[in-house]
Amino acid sequence: MRLSRYFLPTLKDNPAEAQIASHRLMLRAGLIRQEAAGIYAWLPLGLRVLRNIERIVREEMDRAGALELLMPTLQLADLWRESGRYDAYGPEMLRIRDRHERELLYGPTNEEMITEIFRAGVRSYRDLPLNLYHVQWKFRDEQRPRFGVMRGREFLMKDGYSFDLDEAGARRSYNRMFVAYLRAFSRMGLRAIPMRAETGPIGGDLSHEFIVLADTGESDVYCDRALLDLPVPAADTDYAGDLEPAIRRWTAPYAATSDVHDAARFESEVPAERRLHTRGIEVGQIFYFGTKYSEPMRAAVTLPDGSSRPIHGGSYGIGVSRLVGAIIEAGHDEHGIVWPEPVAPFDVGLIGLKPGDAAVEAACDALYAKLEASGMHVLYDDTDERAGAKFANMDLVGLPWQIAIGPRGLAAGQVELKRRAGGERVELAPDDAIARLVEARTARTGT
Amino acid sequence: MRLSRYFLPTLKDNPAEAQIASHRLMLRAGLIRQEAAGIYAWLPLGLRVLRNIERIVREEMDRAGALELLMPTLQLADLWRESGRYDAYGPEMLRIRDRHERELLYGPTNEEMITEIFRAGVRSYRDLPLNLYHVQWKFRDEQRPRFGVMRGREFLMKDGYSFDLDEAGARRSYNRMFVAYLRAFSRMGLRAIPMRAETGPIGGDLSHEFIVLADTGESDVYCDRALLDLPVPAADTDYAGDLEPAIRRWTAPYAATSDVHDAARFESEVPAERRLHTRGIEVGQIFYFGTKYSEPMRAAVTLPDGSSRPIHGGSYGIGVSRLVGAIIEAGHDEHGIVWPEPVAPFDVGLIGLKPGDAAVEAACDALYAKLEASGMHVLYDDTDERAGAKFANMDLVGLPWQIAIGPRGLAAGQVELKRRAGGERVELAPDDAIARLVEARTARTGT
């Protein structure tokens, strides 16, 4: 993409309303624009990141055997009356009346609707286990929306729901999502630690929050430092097999949010030097809630003996739009964002250092074409800005690699390749720069 | 995908509420489920079609130089007061109050918001032309939602907006979208005819509706049959070049909706045998509206002489969710849906004709693996249903190809390949069936 033809409205100054780095950088780097309190438009650069995160989430859900569907944003109030949550949900639920005075709401989560879809479509125990998910916009009418997309009102969430015959089956479904979540966050360049957590308004008796450690996080957490180095299950994990050993490895070390923190256990189980009490950002949460929804909503399957049994359910959320903020909190410096490669909006920024210099422009154009032909996504700053402004802008935007071409290097047949994370620079021939990027991609993705 | 692990709740009987074929077939084939009047959940099979349509739209928008962003579903009422449309829009606008009694609305279209985003991010004439689009859920509170996704309330739309310095530039932007629309619909297997149309609540003085001819359509249209055979601009169309000849070819023959129909012109310009007066489904509409939004909302750019000028705008909509219905209206028979290959949810349905027969199952499993390895998307009916029910179900679901494997054919080393459109059947070796499908795909996509 040529920057001259792109829409990237970056800001020179720090927006006054932004209290944390991710909010500030998302506004400054032209990723989002606030349209109302807690409601954002995703500008082209931000949307590319959001889509990358969505893609990773989707790939890991599919790998774990979940099926994607898409539920609407608006729901009938009556559906929530069936479960008893309509009155319980409180002012965070955006309640709406249509032109015929029918009561609707903007879905904050979808346990009721998916249970309704399940009971209409599934009859037999043979159709279990079933895991259905979608990636859809939700609304929670936060009292004080803040921190940009970290605590917005309209937000993009992946929410999935499992249906099993009994608790043992439901725990296997829970384990599959546990592993899928570890993998998804890890692929985004994040270390998200599963912590025992309150079940809150979803209900149930088993829950883990996946938490990215960050000083600006809203969660108060306690954990064993051993969790910082545990290996994440591999891509070829057999989701039909026994996942208990992997789950035990990740749940044995102490990790809990303050809501369920047990100070005595923490001190007895974790050696002092490994005790970590810090803050974190919740990027996902998984719940097992048994028959909490299936009983009142009569979602049951027929057993071989003809009897009927309410299914055991779980739900599994990932804050897709919040993750953009969390990834920036975990990866930025004083110059701007430092994207992990798998979620970066472009792979490489190409900078022409002398606008108007025909040789530099020709070299940039040629390299741009070659990079794109090799499958790299390139943001090519072909504008008339001076070199310093271009470098600053590329650092702000935070693409993993930068290639700068100027008249002096070009005379020596060289371009400058810079890695945004770390800042190492090297001068090399244009084709060698391409080879280096392709090699880095191959090392990362295996393709 | 193995059907035994899929979620495909098909219906045996015709739903009473469905008056037209697409609505009936979408419910019966398990593509959608109604969650409230005019509000649908997209079940896994339906979502795959929706995503295919989205992908084609996106590819053609990007090819034409448009940039994708994503605006939120909810908007501030005050933004619509700026343009004067808040009071004018009427009861189709879903008006909402949040917990702080701020007035919001569920966006039915986005001229105001995109104008706000433009004016905040663009200053100079050098940043023009600009064309921004998104694919997002919209809401129009129809008095009587009907015909399933054809006239739903919550619907998925691609809406794009162009910004130009003057009318001449805006017309070039309009032409680019005109060509992109012809290409997008054609790639979905549809003949959509651009017809002069009323501009309606969007305003402006130039508009075309893209209409798929169908007896069940809600539009009353008049056109020259010559339009049924016109060639669609090629993929390598130069969008930076002069598109006027292509536009003239498509706008010279008479075509108009009844709102702007000129009977005298129709009869004088079109020979009687080419006059077509029929019904159609509007799947897209494009508008040039000049400064209708930029003037009241003060969206202007600075010219070289330092003066300021309001931009000339256009907007361009495609009914993504409605297209699923339109494609079915255009492609079905008494047995079910007949998907055009580019939008089909799977490429091929694989049917094992004798459940429990080890040789048949092994042959099915092997062919399934080979088809998937060759990049085909396969829906493999591995259930215990009897053969007749499986065939009927595959016909209902409408995948372009079916492969059936039974014990008798297998003994002769053959499978049966059937093309859903037309119904031709041929017996051939499994590897030859794969070769035939790969060949058909290559002929279609060039890859």
Side-chain angles (χ1 to χ4, degrees), chain A residues 33 42 69 91 121 126 160-161 184 193-194 232 248 252 272 284-285 287 294 301 372 383 392 425:
Chain A
R33 176 168 176 78
W42 292 78
L69 45 58
R126 283 175 306 180
Y161 305 88
I193 299 176
V232 164
R248 268 198 302 274
Q285 187 165 9
F287 303 89
S294 62
V301 291
E372 292 266 327
T383 66
R425 292 157 197 270

Side-chain angles (χ1 to χ4, degrees), chain A residues 383-439:
Chain A
T383 66
D384 293 341
E385 286 286 341
R386 62 196 168 72
K390 287 186 177 181
F391 279 124
N393 201 46
M394 278 295 176
D395 279 352
L396 171 64
V397 162
L399 307 181
W401 299 93
Q402 295 172 15
I403 298 178
I405 304 185
R408 207 163 37 194
L410 197 58
Q414 299 212 309
V415 301
E416 185 185 83
L417 176 69
K418 172 178 152 183
R419 200 177 152 78
R420 177 66 179 88
E424 313 89 62
R425 292 157 197 270
V426 54
E427 307 239 324
L428 73 189
D431 284 346
D432 293 337
I434 296 176
R436 187 76 67 91
L437 297 186
V438 170
E439 197 180 289

Side-chain angles (χ1 to χ4, degrees), chain B residues 320-374:
Chain B
V320 174
S321 47
R322 173 182 286 187
L323 271 164
V324 181
I327 289 169
I328 295 174
E329 289 296 328
H332 68 273
D333 60 21
E334 68 273 29
H335 304 296
I337 302 169
V338 184
W339 291 115
E341 302 195 11
V343 301
F346 292 91
D347 301 308
V348 53
L350 175 62
I351 300 175
L353 292 181
K354 196 172 177 193
D357 180 313
V360 168
E361 280 181 5
C364 283
D365 289 354
L367 188 57
Y368 177 56
K370 279 191 183 179
L371 283 165
E372 292 266 325
S374 71

Side-chain angles (χ1 to χ4, degrees), chain A residues 33 73 99 116 141 154, chain B residues 33 73 99 116 141 154:
Chain A
R33 176 168 176 78
T73 61
R99 65 191 292 171
E116 189 278 331
D141 203 356
E154 186 171 328
Chain B
R33 176 169 176 79
T73 61
R99 67 191 291 171
E116 190 279 330
D141 203 356
E154 185 170 329

Side-chain angles (χ1 to χ4, degrees), chain B residues 118-153:
Chain B
F118 175 88
R119 76 181 174 197
V122 175
R123 296 273 174 275
S124 163
Y125 73 97
R126 285 175 306 180
D127 297 325
L128 303 183
L130 186 65
N131 189 320
L132 300 170
Y133 77 96
H134 74 159
V135 182
Q136 179 60 293
W137 293 91
K138 311 281 189 301
F139 199 90
R140 287 185 194 160
D141 203 356
E142 299 276 352
Q143 170 75 8
R144 289 187 303 127
R146 62 190 181 282
F147 304 154
V149 300
M150 301 280 274
R151 187 165 287 277
R153 293 199 293 168

Side-chain angles (χ1 to χ4, degrees), chain A residues 275-289:
Chain A
R275 281 181 216 145
L276 193 55
H277 174 205
T278 182
R279 303 195 68 79
I281 301 163
E282 183 214 321
V283 290
Q285 187 165 9
I286 61 179
F287 303 89
Y288 162 64
F289 47 65

